[in-house]
Amino acid sequence: MDSWNSIYEEVAYGVLGWISFLSWSLCFYPQVLLNYRRKSVVGFNFDFPALNLTKHTSYLVYNAAMYFNPEIHRQYHQKYGLNQMIPVGLNDVFFSIHALSLTIFTMYQIFIYERGTQKVSKTCIAITAIIWTSALVCIIIAWPKHSWLWLISVFNTFQVIITTIKYIPQAVTNFNRKSTVGWSIGFVFFDLFGGLFSFGQMCAQSIDQGSVVNFYGNLGKLLLSLEVMLFDLLFIVQHYVLYPEESDKGNMVVPSEEAEPFIDSGMQRNKGSASKDDNTGTGTDDLMIVAGAGTPDLKSGSVLAMEIDEGQSTI
């Protein structure tokens, strides 16, 4: 029968798990708020939420099935031993539900906010199609033999693979733009803390059980934590060392070819009126400056015109 040997490790496991849940849950909000504040998703690579949608769907299938399904519990104990604890906590289930919901909302922002010329890459679409086709094949294989533990382990493997891939497009985007504008550093820090505390939770369970079975029994969670920490450290280096935000403060506007939809027709007309005259070489702005320097203001000009009219009437 699976049980805790120490109340302290059990408490530590719960505390670390819920801190991890809180950090990973909060990590979605800085990006959502940044998109809302800018009314733009330019600089935010669309492959990231697209891959995240598949990743968190797969992770929810694994966590919910592993936590709630008695048959999977039986198969897990049969494989790893009756004294081994189920390696998924309630916080993991809640995290998956919350993460999937926020990912869907982030994709909604992509549809309603300025996105310039950005779009989901063909590579991302191909990867997503391969993942879900493979999932369907695995379901067909597992169904006759009721190999449910194997099946959800496949879903867990999918989410690990996507976690490895999903950060790469954003890192490349930052590198190509030599900027992290549009990518929330708040997300990165919460994500890093979530991975760190998730790894700490697994350590607490391992110490209590005197075994490392929970590490390779839930290899997906282990690799997820390690991959998250690795990529988040890379993003921190990009944001503070390679492309510090100070260098972007004077250039917070997105590139012109991406920003054109933001420019309304009135601004375009003003821009056109300031162009140089083909014959005189003088622009409207130049004429306004000259007029402003040597002519009376509107009020005094009107008074002068009235005096001239009165003089003509007298004559």
Side-chain angles (χ1 to χ4, degrees):
M1 184 69 179
D2 51 325
S3 62
W4 288 94
N5 297 317
S6 170
I7 185 63
Y8 299 107
E9 272 82 19
E10 182 179 6
V11 171
Y13 177 88
V15 171
L16 290 171
W18 284 106
I19 292 177
S20 174
F21 162 76
L22 182 63
S23 297
W24 266 337
S25 298
L26 290 176
C27 79
F28 291 91
Y29 290 96
Q31 186 67 53
V32 168
L33 294 175
L34 179 64
N35 296 341
Y36 172 77
R37 188 171 65 250
R38 298 172 71 227
K39 297 296 186 293
S40 170
V41 290
V42 174
F44 178 49
N45 191 287
F46 297 168
D47 287 2
F48 181 79
L51 291 171
N52 241 358
L53 184 65
T54 298
K55 173 256 190 313
H56 287 303
T57 301
S58 301
Y59 200 35
L60 176 59
V61 170
Y62 171 79
N63 283 331
M66 178 65 85
Y67 187 79
F68 291 110
N69 193 295
E71 174 60 21
I72 293 179
H73 293 177
R74 186 191 66 79
Q75 293 181 16
Y76 183 87
H77 288 142
Q78 183 178 8
K79 182 176 181 179
Y80 295 108
L82 293 175
N83 62 332
Q84 295 300 323
M85 300 181 64
I86 298 300
V88 170
L90 185 60
N91 62 281
D92 296 313
V93 179
F94 279 126
F95 164 74
S96 295
I97 296 173
H98 182 267
L100 182 59
S101 301
L102 266 293
T103 298
I104 294 173
F105 183 78
T106 303
M107 296 190 72
Y108 167 72
Q109 287 185 312
I110 291 175
F111 283 101
I112 65 173
Y113 292 147
E114 164 60 27
R115 56 184 179 272
T117 59
Q118 296 177 196
K119 58 184 179 180
V120 177
S121 70
K122 293 181 180 179
T123 303
C124 175
I125 296 173
I127 291 173
T128 302
I130 291 172
I131 289 292
W132 285 112
T133 301
S134 301
L136 179 60
V137 171
C138 290
I139 291 174
I140 295 173
I141 294 174
W143 196 282
K145 298 181 180 180
H146 293 213
S147 303
W148 307 128
L149 179 63
W150 172 80
L151 179 60
I152 67 168
S153 297
V154 170
F155 276 91
N156 200 20
T157 302
F158 287 157
Q159 71 92 10
V160 172
I161 293 172
I162 297 176
T163 300
T164 304
I165 297 172
K166 72 174 186 176
Y167 291 103
I168 296 176
Q170 185 64 56
V172 172
T173 296
N174 295 343
F175 172 78
N176 290 336
R177 298 172 70 237
K178 299 296 184 289
S179 170
T180 58
V181 172
W183 174 242
S184 174
I185 192 63
F187 165 88
V188 173
F189 278 112
F190 279 122
D191 197 38
L192 176 63
F193 292 146
L196 184 63
F197 286 113
S198 177
F199 182 77
Q201 183 189 36
M202 298 186 77
C203 290
Q205 181 176 346
S206 181
I207 292 172
D208 180 82
Q209 300 294 299
S211 169
V212 293
V213 169
N214 69 295
F215 282 108
Y216 60 81
N218 192 357
L219 192 61
K221 186 175 181 179
L222 173 63
L223 294 178
L224 172 64
S225 300
L226 297 178
E227 290 168 352
V228 160
M229 290 188 286
L230 176 63
F231 276 101
D232 287 333
L233 289 175
L234 172 62
F235 288 128
I236 290 173
V237 171
Q238 284 186 322
H239 185 80
Y240 291 106
V241 180
L242 298 180
Y243 322 120
E245 189 174 355
E246 287 75 15
S247 65
D248 293 320
K249 287 183 178 178
N251 190 30
M252 290 297 288
V253 180
V254 297
S256 58
E257 66 272 11
E258 297 177 337
E260 286 181 358
F262 274 118
I263 303 174
D264 60 31
S265 57
M267 293 177 64
Q268 292 284 13
R269 287 194 297 271
N270 291 338
K271 181 179 179 181
S273 66
S275 60
K276 298 291 183 180
D277 185 271
D278 293 336
N279 297 324
T280 63
T282 305
T284 306
D285 289 347
D286 299 330
L287 293 176
M288 292 177 66
I289 294 173
V290 173
T295 58
D297 60 22
L298 179 62
K299 181 178 180 181
S300 60
S302 300
V303 174
L304 178 60
M306 293 175 63
E307 291 176 351
I308 293 174
D309 290 340
E310 290 176 357
Q312 289 178 345
S313 299
T314 303
I315 294 173

